[in-house]
Amino acid sequence: MLKVLTFLLATLFKAPRHLGRIDITSWLKHVRVTTMWHLIEKRMIPCVNIHRKLACLHHKVGTVRWMGTYGRAPLLTITPVRALIDEKISVKGHFLPPYLPVTVCAQMHSEDGDLWEAFAHYNTTADGTFNLDRGHSVGGSYLGCEPMGLFWALQPAPGSREGLRLRKRDLETPYKVQVSLLEGHVSPSECFKDGRSTELAAVTAERWYLAPGTRRIDIRQNGVVGTLFLPPGPGPFPGMLDLWGMTGGLVEYRSALFASKGFASLSLAYLGHKDLPGPRNSINVGNLYFKSAFHVLKDHPQICADRIGIIGLSYGVYLALRTATQPGVNPACVICINGPLGSTIKLVDSDCRTEAFERYY
């Protein structure tokens, strides 16, 4: 008990810490109990209020790690801390010395465990702050005013495996991006490796493809293999038929994002999937297959039949254009992204089936 009182005296009442046991006992005899509690309450109430404010900040801004030792600790904020993958977020720093060179670094691991990173060099303003919405990077992964530069500039960290692609498979989990504030204009990979720079603060942001309430439905209907994503609510919704390229399999994250934005979307497999007929290194489905996929959307009770588009990427562009010209399809729009107008692979029949080829992973 005496040790506890000694600590309280030194901390709350600023009594000398070197006082001996007899001195402290004598001091206590001359202090009324009510006076002690009054002083304790005066010291503790501000501490409780600060704790509540930090809890509120944690809820609204996200987890912050504080590294300061004197005065107000550096503060790094990201708002919102939980957002869709294409939503703009704001990154700001506070309580720093004026005109201080700092590095803001973003790091995340892919689902394969590979580290991706981006970083930028900034200088704080006269009031000891920086704001990526209007501040200019003077070095690093990008230059100039780029509010979302830390995210679009992400690339494999030095020393990573070659040929990496960043693709999301598990849509039930987000990408977790740790944004760190480092002292000085430095290269994060080197600094984290040998500890040459001081990490002043850090925040973790979540980047999602799937908005709350979005529904994912496996489609195995009339031979069609795909995944349908529906937005929250009863609809009816505009729809999209989503065609990818030679990667094969079932790529879902673009359709998930469409549904998160209010569009029903069917991600369609046509190559390299276990539920499709024939070898996985050739296209073994024809025009009727793609037409049937379009009608899965058209016949759905929660989708507007006259507001359905087709989007294609790479080889999917050729398939999107070919499907759009089929009788009974008549899409509201066709979106073509970086792909050919005709087949780049030898066709074995007039129904767009192909010979075997080397798939691109």
Side-chain angles (χ1 to χ4, degrees):
M1 181 63 183
L2 190 57
K3 290 182 178 179
V4 174
L5 290 174
T6 303
F7 176 78
L8 287 174
L9 291 175
T11 304
L12 300 177
F13 309 138
K14 298 183 179 180
R17 290 183 180 271
H18 63 272
L19 289 176
R21 296 168 62 90
I22 297 176
D23 296 329
I24 293 174
T25 304
S26 301
W27 192 89
L28 286 172
K29 289 180 180 179
H30 295 87
V31 179
R32 294 170 51 189
V33 174
T34 54
T35 302
M36 289 181 62
W37 279 116
H38 178 69
L39 291 171
I40 291 172
E41 287 175 357
K42 287 183 68 177
R43 292 274 180 170
M44 290 182 66
I45 289 174
C47 297
V48 173
N49 289 338
I50 291 173
H51 176 76
R52 288 172 179 167
K53 290 178 181 178
L54 287 177
C56 180
L57 177 68
H58 170 85
H59 177 72
K60 292 185 177 181
V61 177
T63 304
V64 180
R65 185 159 68 250
W66 306 81
M67 304 297 292
T69 53
Y70 300 102
R72 303 186 73 171
L75 174 63
L76 180 66
T77 63
I78 287 182
T79 51
V81 72
R82 187 183 192 276
L84 290 175
I85 194 75
D86 65 340
E87 281 188 65
K88 183 181 180 298
I89 65 173
S90 181
V91 180
K92 299 178 182 179
H94 307 270
F95 311 137
L96 294 158
Y99 310 113
L100 178 72
V102 295
T103 298
V104 188
C105 170
Q107 291 185 319
M108 56 170 267
H109 285 88
S110 68
E111 291 180 333
D112 297 320
D114 298 295
L115 178 65
W116 292 63
E117 71 174 20
F119 67 97
H121 298 156
Y122 291 90
N123 295 306
T124 60
T125 58
D127 60 355
T129 67
F130 66 85
N131 183 346
L132 268 60
D133 287 344
R134 55 177 180 266
H136 286 251
S137 168
V138 296
S141 302
Y142 59 89
L143 297 174
C145 184
E146 296 287 351
M148 294 296 292
L150 288 177
F151 299 91
W152 64 250
L154 283 166
Q155 59 184 347
S160 298
R161 298 179 294 130
E162 294 184 1
L164 294 179
R165 297 181 68 179
L166 190 61
R167 293 185 297 180
K168 198 79 174 71
R169 292 184 291 270
D170 181 9
L171 301 178
E172 299 295 327
T173 61
Y175 281 128
K176 293 186 177 181
V177 184
Q178 176 166 297
V179 180
S180 303
L181 176 61
L182 307 176
E183 186 177 356
H185 289 164
V186 295
S187 173
S189 294
E190 298 175 0
C191 292
F192 287 135
K193 186 176 181 180
D194 58 21
R196 284 189 300 159
S197 182
T198 301
E199 185 183 73
L200 302 175
V203 186
T204 299
E206 294 184 357
R207 309 290 284 163
W208 291 81
Y209 280 97
L210 206 59
T214 304
R215 291 161 287 170
R216 180 187 179 280
I217 304 168
D218 289 324
I219 299 295
R220 303 294 186 271
Q221 178 181 330
N222 298 328
V224 173
V225 177
T227 304
L228 175 64
F229 290 88
L230 293 174
F237 309 105
M240 293 296 296
L241 178 60
D242 190 5
L243 302 173
W244 283 78
M246 290 301 186
T247 302
L250 194 52
V251 184
E252 299 182 351
Y253 58 84
R254 185 167 63 192
S255 283
L257 192 58
F258 275 140
S260 298
K261 301 291 187 178
F263 292 82
S265 186
L266 175 61
S267 181
L268 184 66
Y270 63 86
L271 166 70
H273 194 282
K274 61 182 181 63
D275 294 333
L276 292 173
R280 293 196 181 188
N281 63 339
S282 62
I283 298 176
N284 305 295
V285 294
N287 294 327
L288 182 60
Y289 177 81
F290 297 97
K291 183 176 179 179
S292 296
F294 186 86
H295 279 275
V296 167
L297 291 169
K298 190 173 182 179
D299 297 338
H300 196 284
Q302 290 182 272
I303 298 176
C304 300
D306 60 345
R307 299 180 63 195
I308 300 172
I310 306 175
I311 182 170
L313 170 71
S314 188
Y315 193 78
V317 168
Y318 163 67
L319 296 174
L321 294 171
R322 187 179 181 106
T323 303
T325 60
Q326 299 300 311
V329 174
N330 193 28
C333 68
V334 179
I335 302 172
C336 303
I337 305 172
N338 195 31
L341 299 179
S343 178
T344 54
I345 303 169
K346 184 177 180 180
L347 303 178
V348 298
D349 59 25
S350 60
D351 207 26
C352 87
R353 294 179 177 86
T354 70
E355 60 182 17
F357 60 90
E358 183 178 356
R359 286 169 57 195
Y360 299 97
Y361 296 91

